[in-house]
């Protein structure tokens, strides 16, 4: 079953009010590709202004706290993201798993909190270079997936998985098509095992050095249902050719 492709940008810690015009340019250009879902996950402080600037276009957060409210200095709840106009959020990005020492259990709690209040979730998994070279990439990613996804298939909102090999993020290196195909097939298998029928409807995105020059090949790999794009999502000139590549594969 071919799923509609989702191309989401992760702006990470990039973006000031002067970049709102670029978000508008991307949202406007995305209207030419109705066969692809397009989203931008921007810094929390930009969400409200971005969402107001581009009504109907999916703006997302990059992290969420698992509690609804409380004494958690510097954190943002799912309700706050929704209230600001977000439609989705990333959880479990490797940069947070690493720098903020987020565990699988914490990522799972964040995903459940977000989905439970109607925010779509892109949940990230991915192995280090050491694990890849040690031949344990698939086992490691499936263990991460098992520990991080909600126990039941979500009904309130959409869960998507992003496979992002850590060594491919921001490096210009990407796995071979066979390695991506093997990992996405393994993730699909585990989702179907865990969620039965709904497991085949969960979109599995690839992330890590996706650019216009490699997007077409990546999108044609079975079970690649889109991309999570970092650096190449900051400018419409770099991002829109990736969206166009997704549309071309759909066609
Ligand atoms: P790059 O596309 O810059 O490699 O980043 C990937 C990523 O981490 C997206 O979440």
């Amino acid at each position: 079953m071919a799923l509609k492709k989702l191309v989401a940008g992760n702006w990470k810690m990039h973006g000031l009010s002067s970049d709102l015009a670029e978000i508008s340019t991307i949202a406007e250009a995305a209207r030419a590709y109705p066969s692809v879902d397009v989203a931008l996950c921007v810094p929390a402080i930009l969400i409200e202004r971005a969402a107001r600037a581009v009504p109907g276009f999916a703006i997302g957060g990059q992290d969420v706290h698992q509690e609804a409210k409380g004494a958690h200095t510097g954190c943002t709840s799912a309700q706050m993201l929704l209230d600001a106009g977000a439609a989705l959020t990333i959880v479990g990005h490797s940069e947070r798993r690493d720098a903020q020492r987020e565990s699988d259990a914490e990522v799972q709690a964040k995903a459940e909190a977000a989905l439970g209040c109607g925010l779509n979730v892109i949940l990230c998994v991915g192995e280090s270079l050491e694990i890849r070279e040690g031949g344990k990439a698939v086992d490691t990613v499936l263990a991460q997936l098992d520990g991080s996804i909600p126990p039941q298939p979500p009904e309130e909102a959409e869960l998507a998985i992003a496979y992002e090999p850590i060594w491919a993020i921001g490096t210009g290196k990407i796995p071979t098509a066979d390695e991506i195909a093997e990992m996405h097939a393994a993730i699909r298998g585990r989702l179907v095992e865990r969620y039965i029928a709904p497991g085949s409807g969960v979109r599995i995105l690839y992330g890590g050095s996706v650019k216009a020059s490699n997007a077409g090949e990546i999108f044609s790999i079975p079970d690649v249902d889109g991309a999570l794009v970092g650096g190449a999502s900051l400018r419409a000139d770099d991002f829109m050719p990736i969206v166009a590549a997704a549309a071309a594969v759909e066609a």
Side-chain angles (χ1 to χ4, degrees), residues 10 12 90 93 95 164 168-171 207-210 228-232:
N10 174 9
K12 307 190 180 185
I90 296 169
H93 193 282
E95 287 155 12
E164 298 205 310
I169 295 176
T171 59
S209 296
V210 177
L228 185 56
V229 184

Side-chain angles (χ1 to χ4, degrees), residues 77-98:
S77 72
Q79 285 85 346
M80 290 171 182
L81 291 179
L82 269 179
D83 189 47
L88 72 154
T89 187
I90 296 169
V91 299
H93 193 282
S94 59
E95 287 155 12
R96 296 196 57 86
R97 287 180 183 264
D98 182 35

Side-chain angles (χ1 to χ4, degrees), residues 1 3 152-155 159 188 191-192 194-203:
M1 179 178 59
L3 302 174
Q152 302 298 326
E155 289 174 359
L159 172 70
R188 173 69 64 215
L191 288 168
V192 170
R194 290 279 306 267
Y195 289 164
I196 320 296
S200 52
V202 174
R203 291 190 279 197

Side-chain angles (χ1 to χ4, degrees), residues 27-35 240 243 247:
E28 184 57 36
R31 291 153 67 104
Y33 302 98
S35 64
M240 292 320 297
V243 175

